[in-house]
């Protein structure tokens, strides 16, 4: 694995031009949209006689509408054509849209500007599938979390800065309209110039016929995604995040004005803190995940969204100031810092939640269908945001206060998270494994990059404790099927974990020949389907810390399925409460102290015809060294 910092990607041509292209696109979208909303709010009479509140609902809706109408087509285009060239064409379209909008600004033609909003929605719709399908073509698996984190950070920072700059420029006393009109053109041109350096990204499906019917294509894309359960539920989880965020962020303007009694600067402060939280959480994902796609962060993020959403309700009800305040007087009020911390942590845990979901979609989806899958997700996102708006409106009609909306959304998030994780327990199981090695143990991995990202293989490891499989699972860059002694499945908590991980129970022939034979059939089936297996050839836990004799089961596996074998060794688990030994469990619990240091060492791959139990045992013993 390339264990460099994710920020190193910003210096590399395979990532930096694309990052700045998408950043400038998000930035320009929001400069334009916010400037228009601001001028209609504060100077509506010189632009239109229509109801301003109606326009404030219409304009964001027109920006979202193209995601529903054209995402299916844009996904097909991104799979059919080279992505660098497509990005450049989209940026040329942006320049054209901004030139048309400039005419609208200079002539005070509201409907030309409204058409510009719809045009920028089309621009974002076309660029969306390119954005997330581009990354797995140029980043390795261990870079995807960091790359997605940077993209999410850049998107939210671009949105925030665009909103601030758009609001500031348009109210400039002398040149506000001109600054927005020509500033957005300049930003679009700069975006095109950065796109010229995006490297060649071959089309995964150049022969793909384009279906121009958005309804049938959307149904087909979603039906295709449903065949891959983790990917489909990741799509739903991603859309749920936008539902949650849409409800919370939509309340910020009135929340700042009516509950915090602040002016526009307090609203900007709330947006800034939330965006900073999203950016920070997105960037922290790489550190917390250990440079791999760690879906265990998704439940962690979901828990934080509910906890701090509910805490924001409690903090809001305890805020007592009733006088009008600006940003500086607001932060001096009792309870204001608590509110800001809650909003910050909502953003941080939102980053923990969303970044790994994108990485799961990118790594587990069929590469030839990835752009169309992302396009289907964009449609779901738009629909979920529409439902979020309707849900928030219904709660307001029912008499909910804004703090109560925060509370209700947090509780609803908890129920949705429980439902999703019950359908795919792998998320929750990985969270438990991740939590274990982040709290009880400190695990160092050596040569884990040797573990293949795709294809069948058998991992062979020494067996020291009941936690061996969980530690290996937490350190692996991909899911593993474990072959385990059937008696372990009788231990309540461990049984749930291993059944969730689709572990294969095995027993000695003299003890239960039916379980043994079924295990070998299941192993052959899993390897035939390209899965990664792990076995403990000793057949039982060590009682002394020394390795037991390796049994011959590995040869039966390789006779049926001659796949590569990866010897590896766990170091440091012997003597823990989860290992066997003569000392009592209480003594073992404290003998190694907190944050025990462990190592997982992977050796060179071996061909099936090079393997014997004796050779494997020597390889593993050599990897283990003097450790136990």
């Amino acid at each position: 694995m390339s264990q460099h910092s994710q920020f190193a990607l910003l210096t590399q041509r395979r990532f930096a031009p694309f990052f700045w292209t998408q950043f400038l696109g998000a930035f320009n979208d929001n400069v334009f949209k916010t400037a228009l909303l601001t001028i209609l709010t504060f100077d509506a009479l010189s632009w239109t006689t229509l109801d301003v509140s109606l326009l404030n609902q219409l304009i964001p809706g027109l920006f979202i509408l193209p995601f529903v109408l054209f995402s299916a087509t844009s996904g097909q285009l991104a799979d059919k054509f080279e992505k660098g060239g497509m990005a450049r064409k989209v940026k040329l379209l942006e320049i054209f849209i901004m030139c048309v909008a400039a005419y609208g600004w200079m002539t005070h033609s509201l409907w030309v500007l409204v058409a510009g909003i719809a045009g920028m929605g089309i621009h974002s719709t076309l660029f969306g599938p390119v954005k997330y399908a581009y990354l797995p073509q140029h980043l390795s698996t261990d870079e995807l979390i960091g790359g997605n984190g940077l993209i999410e950070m850049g998107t939210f920072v671009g949105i925030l800065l665009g909103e601030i700059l758009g609001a500031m420029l348009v109210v400039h006393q002398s040149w506000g309209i001109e600054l927005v009109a020509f500033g957005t053109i300049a930003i679009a041109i700069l975006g095109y110039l950065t796109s010229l350096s995006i490297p060649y990204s071959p089309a995964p499906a150049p022969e793909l016929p384009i279906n121009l019917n958005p309804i049938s294509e959307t149904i087909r894309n979603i039906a295709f995604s449903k065949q891959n359960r983790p990917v489909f539920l990741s799509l739903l989880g991603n859309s749920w995040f936008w539902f949650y965020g849409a409800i919370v962020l939509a309340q910020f303007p009135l929340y700042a004005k009516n509950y915090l009694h602040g002016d526009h600067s307090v609203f900007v402060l709330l947006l800034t803190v939330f965006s900073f939280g999203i950016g920070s959480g997105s960037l922290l994902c790489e550190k917390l995940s250990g440079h791999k796609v760690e879906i265990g962060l998704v439940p962690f993020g979901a828990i934080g969204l509910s906890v701090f959403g509910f805490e924001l309700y409690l903090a809001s009800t305890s805020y007592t100031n009733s006088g009008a305040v600006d940003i500086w007087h607001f932060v001096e009020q009792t309870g204001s810092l608590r509110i800001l911390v809650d909003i910050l942590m909502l953003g941080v845990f939102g980053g923990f939640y969303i970044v790994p979901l994108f990485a799961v979609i990118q790594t587990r989806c069929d590469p030839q269908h990835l752009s169309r899958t992302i396009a289907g997700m964009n449609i779901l996102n738009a629909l979920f945001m529409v439902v979020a708006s309707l849900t928030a409106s219904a709660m307001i009609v029912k008499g909910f206060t804004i703090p109560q909306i925060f509370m209700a959304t947090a509780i609803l998030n908890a129920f949705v998270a429980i439902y999703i994780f019950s359908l795919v327990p792998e998320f929750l199981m990985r969270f438990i494994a991740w939590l274990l090695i982040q709290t009880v143990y400190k695990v160092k991995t050596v040569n884990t990059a040797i573990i293949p990202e795709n294809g069948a293989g058998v991992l062979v490891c020494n067996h020291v404790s009941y936690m061996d499989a969980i530690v290996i699972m937490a350190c692996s860059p991909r899911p593993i099927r474990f072959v385990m002694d059937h008696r372990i499945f009788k231990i309540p908590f461990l049984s749930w974990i291993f059944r969730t991980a689709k572990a294969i129970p095995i027993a000695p022939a003299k003890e239960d020949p039916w379980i043994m034979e079924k295990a070998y059939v299941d192993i052959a089936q899993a390897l035939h389907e390209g899965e990664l297996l792990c076995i403990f050839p000793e057949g039982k836990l060590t009682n002394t810390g020394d390795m037991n004799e390796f049994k011959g089961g590995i040869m039966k596996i390789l006779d049926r399925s001659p796949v590569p074998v990866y010897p590896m060794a766990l170091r440091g688990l012997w003597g823990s409460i989860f290992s066997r030994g003569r000392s009592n469990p209480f003594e073992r619990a404290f003998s190694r102290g907190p944050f025990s240091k462990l190592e997982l060492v992977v050796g060179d791959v071996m061909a099936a015809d090079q393997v014997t139990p004796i050779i494997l045992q020597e390889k593993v013993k050599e990897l283990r060294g003097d450790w136990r």
Side-chain angles (χ1 to χ4, degrees):
M1 295 186 183
S2 50
Q3 298 289 317
H4 54 70
S5 167
Q6 59 198 333
F7 294 105
L9 293 173
L10 293 173
T11 65
Q12 300 173 18
R13 182 171 177 261
R14 62 192 175 118
F15 183 82
F18 192 83
F19 172 85
W20 291 113
T21 299
Q22 68 85 29
F23 171 84
L24 289 167
F27 179 60
N28 211 20
D29 281 345
N30 286 276
V31 169
F32 178 40
K33 184 170 59 177
T34 305
L36 182 55
L37 290 171
T38 301
I39 201 68
L40 290 177
T41 300
F42 293 100
D43 191 22
L45 292 179
S46 63
W47 290 80
T48 182
T49 57
L50 295 176
D51 180 56
V52 175
S53 61
L54 175 64
L55 289 172
N56 282 342
Q57 298 298 320
L58 173 65
I59 288 172
L62 281 174
F63 185 81
I64 294 174
L65 183 61
F67 284 91
V68 178
L69 297 178
F70 303 116
S71 282
T73 303
S74 68
Q76 295 175 82
L77 294 174
D79 275 336
K80 183 178 180 65
F81 298 108
E82 190 270 324
K83 293 180 180 60
M86 188 169 174
R88 286 183 277 276
K89 291 180 176 64
V90 171
K91 302 317 286 186
L92 287 173
L93 174 63
E94 181 184 1
I95 295 172
F96 173 75
I97 293 168
M98 289 297 97
C99 288
V100 172
Y103 171 79
W105 284 116
M106 301 309 296
T107 60
H108 281 215
S109 300
L110 175 62
W111 295 110
V112 173
L113 293 173
V114 169
I117 290 289
M120 288 304 286
I122 295 173
H123 155 269
S124 296
T125 301
L126 291 171
F127 195 73
V130 175
K131 177 167 68 172
Y132 291 108
Y134 171 90
L135 294 181
Q137 284 190 295
H138 293 274
L139 303 184
S140 59
T141 301
D142 62 303
E143 293 173 320
L144 274 179
I145 285 286
N148 278 294
L150 286 169
I151 290 292
E152 288 305 300
M153 179 274 295
T155 299
F156 276 90
V157 171
I159 291 171
L160 174 65
L161 294 179
E163 289 176 341
I164 294 173
L165 184 62
M168 290 174 56
L169 288 182
V170 78
V171 296
H172 189 278
Q173 292 298 322
S174 303
W175 300 95
I177 299 299
E178 290 80 1
L179 288 172
V180 173
F182 296 104
T184 50
I185 294 175
I187 296 168
I189 292 172
L190 184 59
Y192 173 73
L193 293 176
T194 60
S195 73
L196 294 176
S197 299
I198 295 175
Y200 180 78
S201 307
E207 305 302 321
L208 177 71
I210 301 298
N211 176 13
L212 296 177
N213 185 327
I215 297 176
S216 64
E217 183 64 22
T218 298
I219 293 173
R220 187 169 69 178
N221 285 342
I222 293 176
F224 181 85
S225 299
K226 288 178 72 174
Q227 299 173 21
N228 188 326
R229 196 171 183 82
V231 168
F232 181 65
L233 288 172
S234 294
L235 297 179
L236 292 180
N238 183 293
S239 296
W240 172 255
F241 173 77
W242 287 102
F243 175 97
Y244 187 105
I247 286 184
V248 172
L249 290 177
Q251 311 314 312
F252 276 6
L254 287 179
Y255 178 63
K257 179 181 179 181
N258 295 342
Y259 285 85
L260 305 182
H261 304 288
D263 61 8
H264 186 263
S265 66
V266 175
F267 166 58
V268 172
L269 175 64
L270 300 185
L271 284 178
T272 302
V273 170
F274 182 80
S275 298
F276 181 78
I278 286 281
S280 300
S282 299
L283 295 178
L284 282 171
C285 282
E286 184 185 57
K287 177 69 174 178
L288 293 175
S289 67
H291 292 261
K292 64 179 183 294
V293 178
E294 180 51 82
I295 63 175
L297 287 176
V298 179
F300 189 44
I303 291 169
L305 287 172
S306 284
V307 168
F308 286 100
F310 194 87
E311 163 56 20
L312 181 58
Y313 157 73
L314 297 176
S316 301
T317 56
S318 63
Y319 181 79
T320 58
N321 172 61
S322 59
V325 291
D326 59 13
I327 184 173
W328 305 112
H329 290 94
F330 167 69
V331 297
E332 295 174 352
Q333 302 301 315
T334 302
S336 62
L337 292 182
R338 179 181 173 185
I339 290 172
L340 292 177
V341 169
D342 289 341
I343 292 173
L344 174 70
M345 297 311 294
L346 277 177
V348 169
F349 280 93
F352 294 162
Y353 180 88
I354 196 69
V355 169
L357 285 178
F358 276 123
V360 169
I361 295 167
Q362 290 164 336
T363 55
R364 300 197 187 183
C365 182
D366 179 357
Q368 294 192 342
H369 210 278
L370 179 55
S371 294
R372 283 167 284 169
T373 299
I374 297 293
M377 182 188 71
N378 287 340
I379 295 173
L380 289 175
N381 289 350
L383 294 176
F384 270 61
M385 284 190 282
V386 171
V387 173
S389 177
L390 296 175
T391 302
S393 299
M395 285 192 279
I396 291 172
V397 169
K398 290 293 184 181
F400 281 59
T401 64
I402 289 179
Q404 287 172 341
I405 291 176
F406 294 150
M407 176 187 66
T409 307
I411 294 173
L412 187 59
N413 177 73
F415 282 110
V416 170
I418 291 170
Y419 174 70
I420 290 178
F421 302 143
S422 68
L423 294 178
V424 184
E426 182 187 353
F427 283 93
L428 193 56
M429 179 195 63
R430 292 284 303 199
F431 170 60
I432 293 170
W434 174 81
L435 195 63
L436 175 75
I437 67 170
Q438 295 292 329
T439 55
V440 180
Y441 298 117
K442 295 184 73 68
V443 182
K444 176 184 177 183
T445 58
V446 181
N447 293 332
T448 49
I450 294 174
I451 298 174
E453 295 181 1
N454 299 288
V458 177
L459 306 175
V460 175
C461 191
N462 58 321
H463 205 6
V464 188
S465 78
Y466 292 108
M467 305 304 292
D468 293 352
I470 296 176
V471 173
I472 294 170
M473 181 194 312
C475 296
S476 171
R478 58 181 284 202
I480 299 175
R481 298 280 302 274
F482 289 90
V483 182
M484 316 263 323
D485 188 313
H486 70 110
R487 288 167 293 190
I488 290 181
F489 288 78
K490 298 177 182 179
I491 302 173
F493 180 66
L494 293 180
S495 173
W496 175 81
I497 291 178
F498 295 136
R499 290 185 191 281
T500 298
K502 299 193 294 183
I504 299 171
I506 194 168
K510 61 182 180 181
E511 187 173 334
D512 195 323
W514 185 87
I515 289 181
M516 185 192 73
E517 184 55 34
K518 184 178 185 305
Y520 285 120
V521 171
D522 290 343
I523 289 168
Q525 178 67 24
L527 292 174
H528 174 72
E529 294 174 357
E531 296 190 78
L532 188 64
L533 266 67
C534 180
I535 68 169
F536 302 97
E538 296 168 80
K540 61 181 179 179
L541 295 180
T542 175
N543 287 315
T544 64
D546 293 324
M547 288 170 55
N548 296 306
E549 177 186 355
F550 277 24
K551 307 298 184 183
I554 180 65
M555 303 311 299
K556 293 183 180 180
I557 292 173
L558 296 179
D559 285 344
R560 297 187 183 191
S561 307
V563 298
V565 176
Y566 302 84
M568 59 188 194
L570 277 168
R571 303 169 171 177
L573 270 169
W574 171 250
S576 71
I577 190 175
F578 301 110
S579 64
R580 287 179 176 172
R582 294 182 179 178
S583 60
N584 65 69
F586 184 81
E587 178 184 340
R588 295 202 306 274
F590 294 96
S591 63
R592 303 192 67 87
F595 303 108
S596 300
K597 293 183 179 180
L598 309 179
E599 287 190 1
L600 177 65
V601 186
V602 183
D604 294 332
V605 61
M606 301 174 64
D609 58 5
Q610 298 175 324
V611 172
T612 68
I614 294 175
I615 292 174
L616 266 182
Q617 183 162 3
E618 289 302 315
K619 291 280 188 182
V620 174
K621 187 178 294 185
E622 182 182 334
L623 292 171
R624 189 194 66 169
D626 296 330
W627 285 57
R628 286 190 176 187

